[in-house]
Amino acid sequence: MKATVSRQAHFNAAHRLHNPNWPDEKNAAVFGKCNNPKYHGHNYELIVSVTGSIDPETGYVYDLGKLASLVQEHVEEYLDHKNLNEEVVEFANLNPTAENISVVIYNILRKHIDSKYTLKITLYETPRNFVEYGGN
Ligand code: NI
């Protein structure tokens, strides 16, 4: 029997979406307000989902306390109140879109969660815009 357990988390961060290979007009047209040269913030809502077999001894798929600690230590403390472009090395040359932030979060957490579990990241950049990423 398989089940999925999830932990919800939150962080605030600033970013700017920009392609340095494009002229300013194209950046403004493609990225709109997210191209603001002075940056701007989002209240990100994160859902980290782990799928695996229910352990017959514990009844758990994955210890949610452990998952909460992993997310807090490696994601929330790493990204909260940061300027993603300037302070988070993964975005030095990577546009910090919700898609790419999801991939970065996935790659960080994947190292700490055994490969027998399936990992999925759901990231809300606004209450109505969200991205899902589950590897590959
Ligand atoms: Ni934005």
Side-chain angles (χ1 to χ4, degrees), residues 16-24 26-28 30-31 35 95:
R16 181 192 189 201
L17 302 184
H18 183 76
N19 184 329
N21 300 317
W22 291 350
D24 289 349
K26 185 170 181 182
N27 272 294
V30 171
F31 297 121
N35 184 239
N95 224 9

